[in-house]
Amino acid sequence: MQLSRNWLGVIDIDHFKRVNDSYGHLIGDEVLLLMSRLMRSSFRFDDRLYRFGGEEFVVLMRCADGDAAALAFERLRHNVERHLFPQVGHITVSIGFTELKAGDTPNGAFERADKAVYFAKGNGRNQLHHHADLVAAGHLADDAKIGDVELF
C-alpha cells in the first residue's frame, strides 16, 4: 500500500485585474465566489481550500504521488476554462504545485508552488506546473529552504 503525501497548490486567476478594470469590483467579487464554488466541486471533501490574497487560492491535499495531485489540479483548470462566467465569459487559471517535504517551512513550500505559477503565467497562462518537474527540466533552480523553525 502506497502512503499518501501532502501537496500544496497555488491557483491564480489569469488577467483578473482586467476583469476588475473592465467590469468593476462587484463583478470581480462574483467571479471569486464562482471560482470558489468550482473549486469545491472539483476537489474532494477533505481537501483544504483557501483564498489567499486578491485572486489567488491555495489548496492543501493528500495524494499518493505527483501524478494524482496533477490530475486533481488539472480537473480544476479544465473546469474553470470551460465554465461560462456571467457577464465576463471565459476565464482561465494558472496553477503551480509542490510536495510538502519533511522540515519544510510554510514559506518554503508556498514559494516553490508560487514559482511554478509564475512560470505558467510567463509561458502562456492557463497551465499547470509541478515545481519538481520544472527543476528537473532545468527551468527553475532548486533553491529550497528546508529546515526547522527556531522560536525564541
Side-chain angles (χ1 to χ4, degrees):
M1 180 175 162
Q2 190 172 6
L3 296 175
S4 289
R5 301 183 323 222
N6 294 305
W7 301 86
L8 180 138
V10 175
I11 301 155
D12 192 282
I13 299 174
D14 295 329
H15 303 295
F16 186 70
K17 183 180 181 332
R18 190 182 306 161
V19 170
N20 277 335
D21 291 348
S22 299
Y23 302 99
H25 290 275
L26 188 61
I27 299 301
D29 288 348
E30 181 179 325
V31 167
L32 293 172
L33 178 63
L34 292 171
M35 177 69 185
S36 67
R37 289 181 182 166
L38 282 170
M39 288 177 63
R40 180 50 33 216
S41 67
S42 298
F43 291 102
R44 300 168 303 193
F45 178 77
D46 289 337
D47 296 335
R48 301 292 175 217
L49 313 176
Y50 304 94
R51 181 171 174 209
F52 187 83
E55 73 276 6
E56 282 191 322
F57 295 85
V58 172
V59 176
L60 291 170
M61 71 171 107
R62 293 180 65 81
C63 292
D65 56 31
D67 290 340
L71 187 63
F73 287 118
E74 181 59 26
R75 181 174 47 247
L76 171 69
R77 192 201 61 74
H78 179 73
N79 288 344
V80 171
E81 178 183 50
R82 69 177 201 194
H83 185 80
L84 184 61
F85 289 81
Q87 300 184 39
V88 175
H90 292 280
I91 65 169
T92 59
V93 292
S94 295
I95 305 172
F97 72 102
T98 188
E99 181 180 2
L100 298 179
K101 303 173 185 177
D104 244 346
T105 64
N107 279 348
F110 181 84
E111 186 175 311
R112 288 193 309 274
D114 202 43
K115 284 181 179 182
V117 167
Y118 279 95
F119 183 87
K121 288 187 155 305
N123 289 278
R125 302 182 191 269
N126 192 25
Q127 299 177 15
L128 166 68
H129 287 285
H130 181 183
H131 181 268
D133 290 347
L134 292 172
V135 169
H139 297 298
L140 294 177
D142 187 13
D143 52 358
K145 295 178 179 109
I146 298 175
D148 294 325
V149 176
E150 187 174 316
L151 302 176
F152 50 94

